[in-house]
Amino acid sequence: MIKVGDTLPAGTLMEFVEVEGNGCSIGPNPVDVTQASAGKTIALFALPGAFTPTCSAKHVPSYVEQHDALKAAGVDEIWCVSVNDAFVMGAWARELKTGAKVRMLGDGSADFSKATGLTLDLTARGMGVRSNRYSMLVKDGKVAVLNNEGPGKFEVSDAATLLAQAKA
C-alpha cells in the first residue's frame, strides 16, 4: 500500500473535458499522473463510485466548498479519482457543479487504484474492484499526507481534514 514519502504510481487517468482549450479536445482526455502532478501540490481524494450516496452528498461537495481555502493553503489542484469511466465522471461533475474547482478523473480499469494498493473489493455487491475512500496531499508527485478510511467510514478523508493538514 502506498504510504507517506512514496511517489504516486505512474499511469493515466481519464478526464471528460466539455470546453476545448489548453491542448485538450472535447470529450475524454488522458491525464498522465506523473506529468500532471510534477511541481504541484495536489489535494487528491478517491472514493468508491460516482453517484453513490456518501460520495455525492458529502465527499465531493466538501472539496467544492473548501476549494478557495485549499488554494489559499497552497494547493494548486484538487483531484477526485474514482473507478468509473470519463463519461460518468463528466456527468457527475455536471450534476455536482464541480466546474473548474475539482478535476473529476476516471480510473476506469482500476489500474491507478490497484497500483496504490488502496482498493475495495465490492464484487459481492455487483460493483467489482473499486477505490477505497481516502485523501492525500501530494507535493511534486510524492505523498506528503495520507488519510485512509476504514470500511464504510467517512471520517478522515473530507476536505476540512485535508485543509487542516495543508495548513500545518
Side-chain angles (χ1 to χ4, degrees):
M1 180 171 55
I2 198 167
K3 61 188 179 311
V4 171
D6 288 351
T7 299
L8 286 180
T12 302
L13 298 169
M14 296 299 288
E15 180 176 35
F16 189 86
V17 177
E18 293 190 295
V19 179
E20 193 168 4
N22 294 330
C24 294
S25 61
I26 294 173
N29 281 271
V31 176
D32 180 289
V33 172
T34 303
Q35 289 177 356
S37 63
K40 296 178 186 168
T41 298
I42 310 288
L44 185 157
F45 68 104
L47 35 80
F51 294 101
T52 55
T54 301
C55 304
S56 292
K58 297 178 182 178
H59 211 170
V60 175
S62 76
Y63 282 89
V64 172
E65 291 165 9
Q66 295 293 339
H67 171 269
D68 293 344
L70 283 161
K71 293 288 257 186
V75 170
D76 297 303
E77 295 181 2
I78 302 170
W79 294 5
C80 173
V81 176
S82 182
V83 179
N84 292 105
D85 64 63
F87 294 102
V88 169
M89 294 301 282
W92 198 32
R94 281 189 300 279
E95 169 107 357
L96 296 179
K97 297 174 178 47
T98 60
K101 293 182 177 183
V102 178
R103 295 184 75 179
M104 304 294 278
L105 303 171
D107 182 22
S109 298
D111 292 338
F112 179 80
S113 297
K114 290 174 186 173
T116 66
L118 296 168
T119 58
L120 180 63
D121 189 350
L122 296 176
T123 303
R125 293 189 192 173
M127 295 174 69
V129 174
R130 297 294 180 130
S131 174
N132 195 40
R133 186 181 309 281
Y134 66 87
S135 67
M136 59 173 70
L137 193 63
V138 178
K139 296 184 177 187
D140 194 24
K142 292 196 182 300
V143 179
V145 171
L146 175 61
N147 304 303
N148 191 20
E149 296 283 4
K153 301 288 185 185
F154 179 60
E155 299 170 344
V156 298
S157 63
D158 61 303
T161 300
L162 199 60
L163 174 60
Q165 293 165 328
K167 288 179 173 180

